[in-house]
Amino acid sequence: MPPSRRHELPPTAGLPLTLADLRPGRASLAADVAAQLGTPPLALTCSGTAALLIALAALRELKPARRRVVMPAYTCPLVPLAVHQAGLEAVPCDLRPGHYDMDPHALRAACDERTLAILPTHLAGRVADVDDALAVANNVGAHVIEDAAQALGARRDGGSVGLAGDLGFFSLAAGKGLSIYEGGLLVARDPGLRDRLAHTARRIAPFKPGWELRRSTELLGYAALYRPRGLRLAYGNPLRSALRRGDPVAAVGDDFSLPLPLHAVGRWRQAVGAHAAARLPAFIEQCTARAQRYLPRLRAIPGVDVLDDPAGTHGTWPFFMLLLPDQRRRDAALEQLWQAGLGVSRLFIHALPDYAYLRGIVPAAGVPNARDFAARSLTIGNSAWLTDADMDAVCGVLEATAR
């Protein structure tokens, strides 16, 4: 077992904030990021989930007879919660075997004239197969919303992800690269749809001083504690406490409840994000370079499959997502690594139908590949504080347990 550490590595690579980021300034975050990514105008929301909720509410007004939203059966539980809060029905779709993309046959079986939207998901910064979702959506008259919550800065066909479908959204939550503690960005190619989204956002997500005060306080905490010393207090100790209670859902932060917050983002947090966004391109390049340095070592471990991008795409690398041969060996690795402070974790604990608190929101479904993915996967954070010695320690455990 790796030795205990005084410092804590994060499970994802967030862009650390500086003292200079906290000064007042122009509330230009959405415009600055759009210019960096080369996208149409971006709408700033209070979270990536709020961006999805606004998108769904706007699409529901366009096609009120359609109520079903199809999503990967292994994704963030906030996705079906947003669908439910929008008054729609969540439809989990099984994955391709050993992969994060939706299975083509399962996707076609899940979609019909009742389908409002399909959500291909750029999981873990990897680039999803949007083309198959587009083909199915065209056949049934549905919309495509790209869930790029974990993939701000990822590219396909030379442009940003989020632009191949009708809409796309990104997350600015804590640890997801650029962060204002909680925030999101929503994009649509069609100007008319952008106008509808703006109208919907004004109606359902007005400015709420109480929420903005809370998020501003949390952002100050994030700025202070998103460091190896601070993360032990803010992340590591709560993680270990939840695992001692036998609550892995709480350990990874998968425990959510309704209603989901909906409110506008204040000018100060926008300015903080705009200051930090100036460093975002270099930060993504550094994450990619670090990933390319460690990928050969991880790929050389027998029995370990490291998820990567399809040809012609360039994902971001907030963390590495690995599949081990079976759940027994995955669990054996986590037994040594999850509490060791090395940034090793799990992304989502269950396939969507298996969360107890989602019963009545996500229907029971036969999704064996999604359940297998949940059972065999683990993640390794790719933060700037990850050292060669840290990766050696992680790989040593994986080599001993995966064979």
Side-chain angles (χ1 to χ4, degrees):
M1 179 176 292
S4 60
R5 302 162 50 86
R6 295 178 57 194
H7 300 165
E8 190 88 26
L9 296 182
T12 64
L15 174 61
L17 296 176
T18 68
L19 187 60
D21 292 334
L22 304 181
R23 71 190 191 277
R26 294 175 57 245
S28 58
L29 173 57
D32 292 353
V33 176
Q36 287 181 9
L37 300 182
T39 67
L42 294 167
L44 180 65
T45 62
C46 66
S47 67
T49 310
L52 173 60
L53 223 167
I54 291 166
L56 292 172
L59 294 181
R60 184 182 178 185
E61 292 173 356
L62 286 173
K63 296 182 178 179
R66 293 173 177 258
R67 303 185 57 83
R68 300 178 54 148
V69 181
V70 178
M71 65 200 65
Y74 182 84
T75 193
C76 181
L78 284 168
V79 173
L81 288 175
V83 170
H84 182 76
Q85 187 163 320
L88 301 168
E89 301 172 17
V91 180
C93 177
D94 204 9
L95 308 183
R96 289 171 44 196
H99 203 272
Y100 52 88
D101 275 332
M102 290 180 282
D103 178 79
H105 299 292
L107 181 58
R108 283 155 178 80
C111 295
D112 57 24
E113 70 281 355
R114 298 169 294 174
T115 304
L116 175 67
I118 303 171
L119 272 64
T121 301
H122 303 289
L123 192 72
R126 311 278 50 82
V127 179
D129 181 2
V130 181
D131 291 335
D132 192 53
L134 288 169
V136 176
N138 288 336
N139 284 338
V140 299
H143 294 277
V144 170
I145 305 174
E146 291 184 53
D147 180 348
Q150 300 177 355
L152 180 64
R155 307 187 78 81
R156 73 186 293 271
D157 299 330
S160 172
V161 297
L163 300 178
D166 300 287
L167 304 101
F169 67 93
F170 307 92
S171 174
L172 304 178
K176 285 196 174 81
L178 179 64
S179 177
I180 53 172
Y181 190 80
E182 281 289 353
L185 294 166
L186 179 60
V187 65
R189 289 181 290 106
D190 179 68
L193 184 53
R194 287 200 298 273
D195 290 342
R196 180 174 286 273
L197 293 170
H199 174 78
T200 301
R202 287 192 296 270
R203 178 170 55 83
I204 71 174
F207 185 75
K208 298 177 182 177
W211 269 109
E212 187 58 23
L213 177 61
R214 173 176 172 173
R215 294 303 191 219
S216 296
T217 303
E218 290 167 335
L219 179 57
L220 288 171
Y222 177 75
L225 297 176
Y226 194 77
R227 305 286 190 279
R229 286 185 182 274
L231 280 164
R232 190 164 187 84
L233 174 66
Y235 165 71
N237 290 345
L239 163 74
R240 283 177 276 275
S241 176
L243 291 176
R244 284 194 297 270
R245 299 194 308 269
D247 190 351
V249 172
V252 301
D254 266 3
D255 45 348
F256 306 108
S257 61
L258 293 170
L260 304 173
L262 278 172
H263 56 93
V265 177
R267 291 184 61 84
W268 177 71
R269 284 203 297 142
Q270 293 187 49
V272 171
H275 294 318
R279 303 192 303 280
L280 181 61
F283 173 79
I284 292 173
E285 288 183 6
Q286 292 159 7
C287 286
T288 300
R290 195 162 46 248
Q292 296 305 319
R293 183 152 57 92
Y294 290 130
L295 281 169
R297 174 76 190 275
L298 291 168
R299 289 171 178 149
I301 301 174
V304 170
D305 181 19
V306 186
L307 298 186
D308 208 337
D309 298 313
T313 67
H314 301 279
T316 58
W317 290 95
F319 49 90
F320 304 93
M321 173 156 273
L322 281 58
L323 291 176
L324 272 69
D326 51 47
Q327 182 174 357
R328 179 186 64 80
R329 281 176 277 196
R330 192 282 308 274
D331 289 349
L334 284 176
E335 180 69 25
Q336 300 185 56
L337 293 172
W338 204 351
Q339 301 185 53
L342 290 166
V344 175
S345 186
R346 294 170 64 180
L347 185 52
F348 310 123
I349 297 300
H350 301 301
L352 291 179
D354 299 333
Y355 285 93
Y357 70 87
L358 291 180
R359 288 172 190 156
I361 294 174
V362 175
V367 287
N369 295 331
R371 291 188 169 105
D372 175 71
F373 196 99
R376 294 196 292 123
S377 60
L378 61 79
T379 63
I380 306 170
N382 186 33
S383 77
W385 303 296
L386 179 69
T387 67
D388 291 349
D390 296 327
M391 185 57 81
D392 286 343
V394 172
C395 289
V397 172
L398 294 175
E399 287 164 348
T401 56
R403 66 167 64 100

